[in-house]
Amino acid sequence: MSEHQVDLVVLGGGSGGYAAAIRASELGKKVVLIEKDKVGGTCLHRGCIPTKALLHAAEVADHVRSAASVGVAAHLDGIDPAGVTSYREGIVAKKFAGLTGLLKARGIEIVAGEGRLRPDRGVAVGEDVYRGADVILATGSYSRTLPGLEIGGRVLDSEGALALQVIPERVIILGGGVIGVEFASVWRSFGVDVTIVEALDHLVPNEDVALSKGLERAFRKRGIAARLGTRFRSVTQSDAGVEVALEDDTTLAADYLLVAVGRGPATGGLGFEDAGVALDRGFVTVDEHLQTTVPHVYAVGDIVPGLQLAHRSFQQGIFAAERIAGLEPVSVPETTIPRVTYSSPEVASVGLTEAQAREAHGDAVATYEYNLAGNGKSEILGTTGLVKVVRRADGPILGVHLIGDRVGELITEGQLAVGWEAHPEDLAPLIHAHPTQSEALGEAFLALAGKPLHAL
């Protein structure tokens, strides 16, 4: 067994891990990054990037179908699964090459293998031990399933759905959260009959109810069926397909079942607890500085309770690296982290929902909804939707919520408004370029400031 001494050992090369490694290197630290698969993690290889590539291909298909409505003669001959896969894999390969080149240029040593934390704060990889003055745990997450529901055959998780080399005729999706509705959107654009089964009363149930209802209406119009408030009971599969039994005594049949019931922290079997790192339901317990219960051992990303988002992981990785370097970085509250669901239509939000705001502030809450039907650019794009802004009465903006095609590109302005505790009156004088979808946000700010322009 050989030992290697460095300043920082990062266990996990996904969004949080590689961001921490890069920032620590910038700050003069000698860094080892340990990754059992490929740097970039789930986000780059099996999550954010490949699924958004699929969603873009789906958007192109929809645009071709509707081309005649804008005077363009075009015809959709079909979807080529191999061509879509090649496009998706090409995007991932380019980003992977860029990331590995960046890490190499920063002088970061990448160790391939599964690392295990030791009680002496070393990280063992095979017969080697990598020891740093500090350690950052960034081991990411895995696709959850339900008790008794095994992934395999025609029962897919999100990785299996990505790897599917055929366009099914019928699919059932278990779970109406972000992953479920994004795959529903892709498959419907590819001509698949889709049914979503969601145990709660709404799709994307963590969002403001106005967005959930708007997405449900849009999906009904697209022909995506949703069984809301309905729980899964069991599934049987054969060479021909699956049959899904629900607790309301109904049965659904399809070619495949996609299990999209969330993601769990990848912390099992890695030595964390034996090394003294406290876990709570599999998640790593950290303080306000992201330090675990073991001094000089930090945790970032999906293994830390909270939003499981790549950009949150980036921020936490940078925060931990700067903290280790002796700086005093400012943490970003969960409520100011933007959230985007890249379905068609998109759902984007930041801050408190109306229900959360009323729970915190009672009746001292004001809201305004601006329908995208009044927005010129949205009309050009052919999208419906709305902008909803939540404020404390005579106080700052608490939440910004949007639904409509491409609205994810607007959420940064919402983040600034919420993060800086801006009042609508502060934002009303600002000019939004015309014609842009950002004008819809401006209209909502104007209305809450008491001087609506294009709204009654």
Side-chain angles (χ1 to χ4, degrees):
M1 180 179 290
S2 58
E3 295 206 5
H4 310 265
Q5 187 70 40
V6 293
D7 297 320
L8 174 65
V9 176
V10 181
L11 181 54
S15 302
Y18 81 69
I22 290 172
R23 185 64 182 126
S25 176
E26 289 177 342
L27 293 170
K29 300 292 184 180
K30 183 179 180 182
V31 182
V32 163
L33 177 63
I34 299 169
E35 171 55 49
K36 67 178 182 179
D37 188 9
K38 295 179 178 179
V39 292
T42 294
C43 176
L44 175 54
H45 299 283
R46 300 173 296 279
C48 316
I49 298 302
T51 56
K52 281 26 167 206
L54 280 183
L55 284 155
H56 179 65
E59 182 184 36
V60 171
D62 288 334
H63 285 173
V64 174
R65 284 192 187 94
S66 62
S69 67
V70 296
V72 176
H75 177 72
L76 182 65
D77 293 328
I79 306 298
D80 173 15
V84 173
T85 297
S86 177
Y87 159 70
R88 170 175 60 81
E89 291 179 345
I91 296 292
V92 172
K94 288 178 182 178
K95 303 307 293 180
F96 175 58
L99 176 58
T100 52
L102 177 61
L103 292 167
K104 182 178 180 180
R106 296 289 190 190
I108 296 165
E109 181 183 357
I110 300 173
V111 175
E114 185 169 21
R116 181 179 175 85
L117 185 65
R118 292 162 40 121
D120 59 4
R121 217 170 64 221
V123 179
V125 183
E127 295 298 316
D128 292 323
V129 175
Y130 296 86
R131 197 178 307 282
D134 296 277
V135 176
I136 294 178
L137 308 176
T139 47
S141 60
Y142 64 92
S143 295
R144 287 187 186 273
T145 186
L146 299 178
L149 179 56
E150 294 186 6
I151 303 299
R154 291 181 176 269
V155 179
L156 311 172
D157 59 11
S158 59
E159 293 181 29
L162 270 177
L164 206 59
Q165 295 298 306
V166 297
I167 305 297
E169 291 185 9
R170 298 174 299 168
V171 171
I172 299 165
I173 298 176
L174 184 58
V178 173
I179 296 171
V181 301
E182 287 187 352
F183 272 101
S185 189
V186 167
W187 272 324
R188 187 59 191 145
S189 296
F190 287 174
V192 181
D193 288 334
V194 180
T195 299
I196 303 173
V197 177
E198 168 55 53
L200 299 179
D201 292 335
H202 291 290
L203 297 179
V204 288
N206 292 328
E207 298 291 347
D208 190 279
V209 70
L211 302 192
S212 295
K213 290 181 176 179
L215 184 63
E216 290 156 17
R217 286 192 298 270
F219 271 19
R220 283 195 298 270
K221 187 175 180 180
R222 293 187 60 193
I224 299 172
R227 301 289 298 274
L228 303 176
T230 306
R231 292 186 176 275
F232 166 87
R233 176 178 290 165
S234 63
V235 60
T236 57
Q237 60 173 305
S238 66
D239 292 340
V242 296
E243 286 195 355
V244 175
L246 306 178
E247 288 192 354
D248 63 2
D249 294 327
T250 60
T251 300
L252 303 174
D255 300 324
Y256 294 92
L257 169 66
L258 168 61
V259 181
V261 293
R263 297 185 64 83
T267 55
L270 299 176
F272 291 1
E273 288 184 291
D274 291 342
V277 173
L279 302 181
D280 181 8
R281 294 170 297 171
F283 290 95
V284 178
T285 300
V286 297
D287 64 15
E288 69 274 18
H289 303 305
L290 298 176
Q291 186 170 236
T292 71
T293 49
V294 177
H296 298 284
V297 177
Y298 296 76
V300 302
D302 287 359
I303 61 174
V304 176
L307 296 169
Q308 292 180 315
L309 299 169
H311 44 281
R312 172 183 181 259
S313 299
F314 290 145
Q315 188 274 336
Q316 288 189 340
I318 293 167
F319 179 96
E322 292 184 348
R323 183 78 187 175
I324 288 168
L327 304 180
E328 295 185 1
V330 176
S331 62
V332 176
E334 294 277 307
T335 53
T336 62
I337 298 173
R339 310 173 292 273
V340 184
T341 302
Y342 295 89
S343 52
S344 178
E346 289 184 352
V347 174
S349 61
V350 64
L352 302 181
T353 65
E354 180 178 351
Q356 291 168 337
R358 293 195 182 281
E359 183 178 351
H361 302 287
D363 292 333
V365 171
T367 68
Y368 184 78
E369 294 183 17
Y370 182 80
N371 196 303
L372 292 186
N375 177 258
K377 186 60 178 289
S378 296
E379 183 72 19
I380 292 167
L381 295 174
T383 185
T384 58
L386 62 87
V387 170
K388 179 175 182 177
V389 178
V390 180
R391 76 174 299 185
R392 197 174 73 228
D394 299 322
I397 293 167
L398 303 173
V400 174
H401 310 275
L402 311 97
I403 181 170
D405 290 343
R406 304 189 187 183
V407 296
E409 303 299 330
L410 306 180
I411 200 58
T412 297
E413 181 177 351
Q415 181 189 31
L416 292 174
V418 172
W420 287 348
E421 298 182 340
H423 291 222
E425 291 81 4
D426 299 325
L427 300 172
L430 301 180
I431 298 171
H432 293 79
H434 177 75
T436 64
Q437 286 184 294
S438 69
E439 289 178 283
L441 269 175
E443 292 286 351
F445 297 147
L446 283 167
L448 281 175
K451 45 183 179 181
L453 183 62
H454 291 94
L456 299 175

